[in-house]
Amino acid sequence: MTSYNELWNQVLHAIQESHYFKDDIFHTWIENKTSLFNIDNQTAYVSFKTMITHQLLSQENNKQLFESTLSELYGEDLSIQYFDYKETNQLMPSIQVQKKTEEIAQSSLNPDYTFENFVQGYCNQEAYAACLSCCTQIKHTFNPIMIYGNSGLGKTHLLHAIGNYLKKERPEVKVFYAYSGQLVTILLDAMKTKNVYGNTVEQVKEQLSNYDYFLIDDVQNLKQSSSQEVFFTVYNQLIARNAQIVMTSDMHPNELSGLQNRLISRFSSGLITNISKPEFDTSKAILRKKLEGNEESILIQDNVLDYLASKFSDDVRNLEGSLNKLIFNATIENPEVIDLDFAQRILMKEPVIINQDELTMKQIKKAVVNFYGFTYKDLEGKSRQKNIMNARQVFVYLSRELLHKAYVAIGQELGNRDHTTILSSYERARQKMENDKAFSMAVDKVKATLKQ
């Protein structure tokens, strides 16, 4: 589809340069009102958006001009068939799906996310090295690369950095980046036309398998079963072609639910690397990077950066957001300098983040049993008593939310329970946090004791 767009733009440019049409007519009724969708059996299919456009294009001399110009640039004699763009979905559903796929691949990268402005630290250096290394390799040693970790820690930044690096340094390679939801939409759209236009799914499979780098964000959301079937084929074809696959997830592949075991097995066959919350030095470096170029206009004391790095480092977005809030309020109040008193006053209503470097699962367990009045044996045992089950769920929920511990590790701490049991307990706790006021209050009170 990209080549069709480029070809049609060349046709429009050549006709504009010929001054065959008056400029106002060309710009108003032709330039942005036509599109080349397909070429098949020496016929070019061109859509129009208005009836005036159609009348202009259909006049015999005008049609001959477009056909001759297109044929010359294409290298073969072509005739043109015009159709209303509203009929595209009915006349050419497979072309529409392919066009949507190409548009997603072309427009999804954020140019601000590069390797140069990604702040490295102990928390992310392995993931950073893996992503940068895969950009320069012809034969990919680790394939796929799976980056997992909580939201807001830089996984998406690294995927975009790969795409932007390749776009600049290796423009000859084909890169596909998409959020998992976009990929599901592409696959479902292809399958909707499967019965009438039987080759649509195969065309999309071939199209997706033709990329050199395949970057998928939040792969844990790829839960639609039929789309998994198509993706499985695409995945195998990409690996067979030595195309590099890089994916992100909010949890380790072994903890993913809703995905086929054969997919999880393949995800685990390459390099799995984790991004954790930034340590103090990395958090401070992120803040300094954010301030680059603004040091003269924004006077901020160093101890303020220390305060932000120690209080808001669980989520890089939250960390940067706290700095943005200070800067915004400084533009309103215009202080001579952003000092610690100013920062604490502005951010006093922000939630206090527990220092997870000091917190352990044993401390959470102690806080839970003290709150409920149970023993460790009660918590780790097999009793199905409601209050004890609630206490277990509070422990699982806080271990996951505050420490980001793997389900396997939480299960070991809770009487060697299976990780699938812990996963189920965590999901129930999440639902209760939304629907059970008593449960959510219990969680808040246990958190409050941990903060003390």
Side-chain angles (χ1 to χ4, degrees):
M1 286 306 305
T2 299
S3 60
Y4 290 154
N5 291 338
E6 291 173 353
L7 177 59
W8 191 246
N9 286 335
Q10 292 174 19
V11 170
L12 294 176
H13 179 72
I15 291 176
Q16 182 184 14
E17 290 294 307
S18 72
H19 299 291
Y20 180 87
F21 295 98
K22 291 182 179 181
D23 286 346
D24 58 342
I25 292 177
F26 184 84
H27 292 311
T28 303
W29 301 112
I30 297 176
E31 185 175 32
N32 296 316
K33 299 293 191 297
T34 58
S35 180
L36 173 62
F37 271 84
N38 194 24
I39 297 177
D40 186 36
N41 291 329
Q42 295 185 306
T43 299
Y45 297 90
V46 176
S47 71
F48 58 86
K49 291 188 176 181
T50 72
M51 291 308 299
I52 295 177
T53 302
H54 185 220
Q55 291 170 3
L56 281 171
L57 297 177
S58 300
Q59 292 177 18
E60 185 174 351
N61 291 339
N62 296 348
K63 186 176 182 181
Q64 289 178 356
L65 172 64
F66 275 94
E67 286 180 338
S68 61
T69 306
L70 177 58
S71 297
E72 181 179 351
L73 290 170
Y74 187 68
E76 293 182 19
D77 289 336
L78 297 172
S79 61
I80 292 178
Q81 180 174 328
Y82 297 117
F83 61 96
D84 192 317
Y85 83 102
K86 296 177 183 178
E87 300 174 352
T88 304
N89 288 333
Q90 289 75 35
L91 295 176
M92 296 183 176
S94 62
I95 299 299
Q96 277 292 82
V97 172
Q98 292 176 68
K99 183 178 181 182
K100 179 183 288 187
T101 304
E102 195 68 43
E103 287 174 349
I104 289 173
Q106 293 294 320
S107 63
S108 296
L109 292 175
N110 185 337
D112 294 332
Y113 288 167
T114 65
F115 287 118
E116 288 76 17
N117 61 23
F118 184 86
V119 178
Q120 296 181 68
Y122 180 77
C123 60
N124 58 34
Q125 61 185 10
E126 184 179 274
Y128 175 90
C131 290
L132 182 58
S133 176
C134 81
C135 292
T136 60
Q137 294 177 350
I138 304 301
K139 183 174 176 58
H140 302 294
T141 306
F142 302 108
N143 203 8
I145 296 173
M146 168 72 86
I147 307 168
Y148 75 96
N150 275 5
S151 175
L153 299 179
K155 304 187 300 296
T156 297
H157 188 139
L158 285 176
L159 284 191
H160 285 252
I162 293 172
N164 287 320
Y165 178 95
L166 294 169
K167 186 176 180 180
K168 179 180 178 182
E169 302 295 335
R170 297 176 62 191
E172 73 281 3
V173 303
K174 296 182 64 178
V175 180
F176 179 85
Y177 166 84
Y179 173 69
S180 56
Q182 293 173 311
L183 181 61
V184 170
T185 298
I186 291 169
L187 300 179
L188 291 179
D189 284 349
M191 285 183 279
K192 285 177 184 176
T193 62
K194 181 178 178 181
N195 293 331
V196 180
Y197 303 89
N199 62 352
T200 304
V201 172
E202 294 304 317
Q203 288 173 345
V204 171
K205 282 182 184 178
E206 182 179 354
Q207 183 183 13
L208 292 174
S209 302
N210 198 35
Y211 287 92
D212 302 301
Y213 284 79
F214 201 76
L215 316 174
I216 299 297
D217 212 355
D218 282 343
V219 74
Q220 76 275 359
N221 294 324
L222 191 68
K223 293 183 177 181
Q224 217 282 340
S225 58
S226 54
S227 64
Q228 287 186 44
E229 294 292 335
V230 180
F231 179 66
F232 180 76
T233 302
V234 172
Y235 180 97
N236 289 334
Q237 291 174 347
L238 288 166
I239 293 294
R241 289 186 53 251
N242 192 41
Q244 177 69 63
I245 301 173
V246 187
M247 299 173 287
T248 71
S249 170
D250 62 0
M251 59 186 70
H252 191 283
N254 290 339
E255 298 179 350
L256 292 174
S257 61
L259 295 185
Q260 298 174 359
N261 289 333
R262 58 180 184 172
L263 276 176
I264 294 174
S265 174
R266 280 158 174 78
F267 294 169
S268 303
S269 65
L271 174 65
I272 301 172
T273 180
N274 173 245
I275 291 184
S276 57
K277 84 177 189 72
E279 62 281 2
F280 176 83
D281 289 341
T282 304
S283 296
K284 194 168 180 180
I286 291 170
L287 293 170
R288 291 195 180 282
K289 175 67 89 172
K290 183 80 174 175
L291 286 169
E292 278 184 4
N294 294 314
E295 290 89 343
E296 293 183 3
S297 59
I298 302 172
L299 298 177
I300 183 166
Q301 291 183 348
D302 193 65
N303 61 351
V304 173
L305 300 184
D306 291 344
Y307 170 72
L308 298 180
S310 63
K311 293 295 184 183
F312 302 98
S313 62
D314 269 29
D315 183 323
V316 174
R317 296 190 188 103
N318 191 31
L319 181 67
E320 294 179 341
S322 64
L323 179 62
N324 289 335
K325 187 168 185 176
L326 289 183
I327 294 171
F328 174 75
N329 279 272
T331 63
I332 296 174
E333 300 187 22
N334 197 28
E336 292 184 2
V337 63
I338 298 177
D339 59 17
L340 189 58
D341 288 339
F342 179 87
Q344 290 178 331
R345 176 169 60 82
I346 296 300
L347 299 174
M348 65 183 299
K349 295 182 180 179
E350 296 296 309
V352 177
I353 305 300
I354 298 171
N355 189 337
Q356 295 176 1
D357 290 332
E358 299 175 359
L359 188 64
T360 66
M361 281 196 291
K362 291 187 183 300
Q363 290 172 328
I364 295 176
K365 184 189 290 187
K366 181 179 179 181
V368 170
V369 296
N370 286 342
F371 176 78
Y372 281 94
F374 298 140
T375 66
Y376 291 110
K377 186 175 181 180
D378 291 330
L379 197 68
E380 296 170 6
K382 297 182 179 181
S383 172
R384 304 288 294 177
Q385 184 180 332
K386 182 178 179 180
N387 283 346
I388 294 178
M389 291 181 66
N390 282 341
R392 291 188 193 119
Q393 290 169 9
V394 170
F395 171 75
V396 170
Y397 181 80
L398 291 177
S399 296
R400 188 71 181 168
E401 292 294 311
L402 298 181
L403 301 182
H404 316 307
K405 291 294 185 180
Y407 296 122
V408 173
I410 299 173
Q412 291 173 346
E413 188 68 30
L414 201 58
N416 290 319
R417 280 174 162 79
D418 184 81
H419 75 277
T420 57
T421 301
I422 301 301
L423 170 60
S424 176
S425 180
Y426 174 69
E427 292 298 332
R428 284 197 294 271
R430 286 182 60 186
Q431 293 174 6
K432 286 184 176 181
M433 286 296 293
E434 297 178 3
N435 305 316
D436 188 332
K437 187 175 181 180
F439 183 85
S440 64
M441 288 178 62
V443 170
D444 289 340
K445 288 180 179 180
V446 173
K447 284 175 68 175
T449 64
L450 293 171
K451 291 176 183 179
Q452 295 169 5

